[in-house]
């Protein structure tokens, strides 16, 4: 009988404050969808880091004849065969180095033509203008500075470049976008909490006669507060369910179908369905606990029992 009464009061409360309940549901849904999306973005960045950092190379570009006339690092002339042999030997001795690949000027010219053959500059370049280079794969991509310190400024070396630096800029941008999404999520969550508090206040005021009678007949504080807390929890649960639906539908249409990014951007290793499914219980739990806690705090102020 008590459970039936609580359920009936929940239904009455949700219907009385229908517009506020709808606003709570939408706010909770949007804020938790952003929260889930931010978690997935963090997973995506971590996955991309693990995938790309394992493939990045450190490149040691060697001086050519053109550099000798224009680049201060190559003031002593183009790289010699002895200098190349010493660089290769020193690289082979370094414990941080996994593999070393030598690229000739002809190979560099061929690769450039394959990538930028349509550019006006490609038509004017000749193989002797390209730079020979050593492409180094490190056992730990974080140890780039070891290579830079050992070979920067050495005779015959024009520059030492780390591809990881380019990726770091990309990941920094993705992290900033993720933080912006978290900021919007926090703002939406604050709006949802304010709406919940206001809804509870209006609901408590509209049922002040019923709660007064219940106090007179000796009803416990928990029994009086339970319908109000449950109302907020139910509204939050509906919003959390919508947020889960947004994430599942968003993952389905953006990655697998619709936009089909997994087919168009084959170089990106997107997070799988397991990452999405593991976030759903957390979102549902938050959708119930946060509104219920907000309602409980509001009741202590607006419903004296």
């Amino acid at each position: 009988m008590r459970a039936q009464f609580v359920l009936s009061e929940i239904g009455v409360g949700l219907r009385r404050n229908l517009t506020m309940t709808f606003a709570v549901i939408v706010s909770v849904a949007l804020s938790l969808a952003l929260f889930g999306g931010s978690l997935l973005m963090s997973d995506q960045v971590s996955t991309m880091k693990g995938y790309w950092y394992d493939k990045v190379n450190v490149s040691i570009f060697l001086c050519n004849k053109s550099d000798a006339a224009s680049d201060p690092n190559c003031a002593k002339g183009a790289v010699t065969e002895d200098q190349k042999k010493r660089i290769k030997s020193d690289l082979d001795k370094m414990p941080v180095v996994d593999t070393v690949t030598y690229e000739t000027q002809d190979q560099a010219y061929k690769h450039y033509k394959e990538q930028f053959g349509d550019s006006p500059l490609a038509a004017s370049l000749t193989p002797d203008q390209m730079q020979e280079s050593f492409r180094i794969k490190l056992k730990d991509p974080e140890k780039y500075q070891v290579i830079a310190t050992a070979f920067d400024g050495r005779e015959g070396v024009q520059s030492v470049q780390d591809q990881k630096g380019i990726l770091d800029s990309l990941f920094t941008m993705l992290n900033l976008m993720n933080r912006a999404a978290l900021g919007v999520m926090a703002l939406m969550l604050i709006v949802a909490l304010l709406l919940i508090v206001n809804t509870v206040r209006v609901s408590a005021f509209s049922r002040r006669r019923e709660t007064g009678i219940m106090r007179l007949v000796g009803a416990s504080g928990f029994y009086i507060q339970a319908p109000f807390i449950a109302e907020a929890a139910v509204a939050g649960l509906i919003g959390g369910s919508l947020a889960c639906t947004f994430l599942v539908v968003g993952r389905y249409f953006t990655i697998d179908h619709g936009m089909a990014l997994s087919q168009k951007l084959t170089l990106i290793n997107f997070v799988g369905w397991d990452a999405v499914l593991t976030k759903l219980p957390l979102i549902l739990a938050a959708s119930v606990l946060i509104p219920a806690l907000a309602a409980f705090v509001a009741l202590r102020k607006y419903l004296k029992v």
Side-chain angles (χ1 to χ4, degrees), residues 104-113 122 125-127 130:
T104 65
Q105 288 180 306
D106 289 334
Q107 289 172 332
Y109 179 74
K110 180 182 176 182
H111 292 157
Y112 185 88
K113 293 288 284 186
L125 282 176
T126 58
M130 304 303 293

Side-chain angles (χ1 to χ4, degrees), residues 263-296:
Q263 299 174 22
K264 297 176 181 177
L265 302 175
T266 55
L267 295 178
I268 297 179
N269 188 22
F270 289 101
V271 293
W273 279 107
D274 55 334
V276 178
L277 296 177
T278 54
K279 304 298 183 294
L280 302 187
L282 177 61
I283 291 173
L284 290 174
S287 71
V288 174
L289 293 176
I290 293 175
L293 182 60
F296 176 76

Side-chain angles (χ1 to χ4, degrees), residues 115-151:
Q115 295 181 37
F116 308 104
D118 296 333
S119 68
L121 182 61
S124 62
L125 282 176
T126 58
D128 63 296
Q129 293 176 294
M130 304 303 293
Q131 292 173 312
E132 301 168 272
S133 63
F134 288 103
R135 305 300 173 97
I136 304 124
K137 186 175 186 325
L138 300 178
K139 295 177 181 177
D140 180 0
E142 302 290 338
K143 298 293 180 65
Y144 153 74
Q145 200 59 43
V146 175
I147 303 296
T149 302
F151 294 97

Side-chain angles (χ1 to χ4, degrees), residues 36 39-40 43 243-252 255-256 271-283:
L39 293 178
L40 289 176
D43 287 351
C244 292
T245 303
F246 292 156
L247 285 182
V248 171
V249 172
R251 170 63 173 76
Y252 180 80
I255 307 301
D256 296 332
V271 293
W273 279 107
D274 55 334
V276 178
L277 296 177
T278 54
K279 304 298 183 294
L280 302 187
L282 177 61
I283 291 173

Side-chain angles (χ1 to χ4, degrees), residues 39-84:
L39 293 178
L40 289 176
M41 177 66 83
S42 296
D43 287 351
Q44 182 64 62
V45 170
S46 298
T47 300
M48 289 174 66
K49 281 183 177 179
Y51 179 79
W52 285 107
Y53 279 176
D54 189 53
K55 299 181 182 302
V56 297
N57 293 321
V58 175
S59 298
I60 300 178
F61 291 100
L62 306 178
C63 297
N64 59 22
K65 292 180 180 178
S66 300
D67 294 329
S70 59
D71 195 316
N73 293 334
C74 300
K76 294 185 178 180
V79 66
T80 65
E81 289 299 322
D82 286 340
Q83 288 171 345
K84 285 189 280 189

Side-chain angles (χ1 to χ4, degrees), residues 138-197:
L138 300 178
K139 295 177 181 177
D140 180 0
E142 302 290 338
K143 298 293 180 65
Y144 153 74
Q145 200 59 43
V146 175
I147 303 296
T149 302
F151 294 97
D152 246 343
R154 180 183 284 204
E155 290 184 5
V157 175
Q158 191 266 339
S159 65
V160 180
Q161 294 183 8
D162 179 25
Q163 293 176 348
K164 178 177 171 290
I166 301 172
L167 293 177
D168 282 342
S169 300
L170 170 63
F171 293 138
T172 298
M173 182 187 70
L174 291 175
N175 285 327
L176 287 174
M177 291 172 60
N178 195 32
R179 290 174 186 172
L182 284 173
V184 175
M185 180 274 294
L187 182 62
M188 290 298 300
L189 192 57
I190 291 171
V191 171
L193 292 175
L194 292 174
L195 284 169
I196 291 167
V197 170

Side-chain angles (χ1 to χ4, degrees), residues 197-209:
V197 170
N198 201 38
T199 302
V200 168
R201 182 174 64 176
V202 172
S203 184
F205 180 79
S206 64
R207 283 185 274 178
R208 61 190 183 280
R209 288 184 61 187

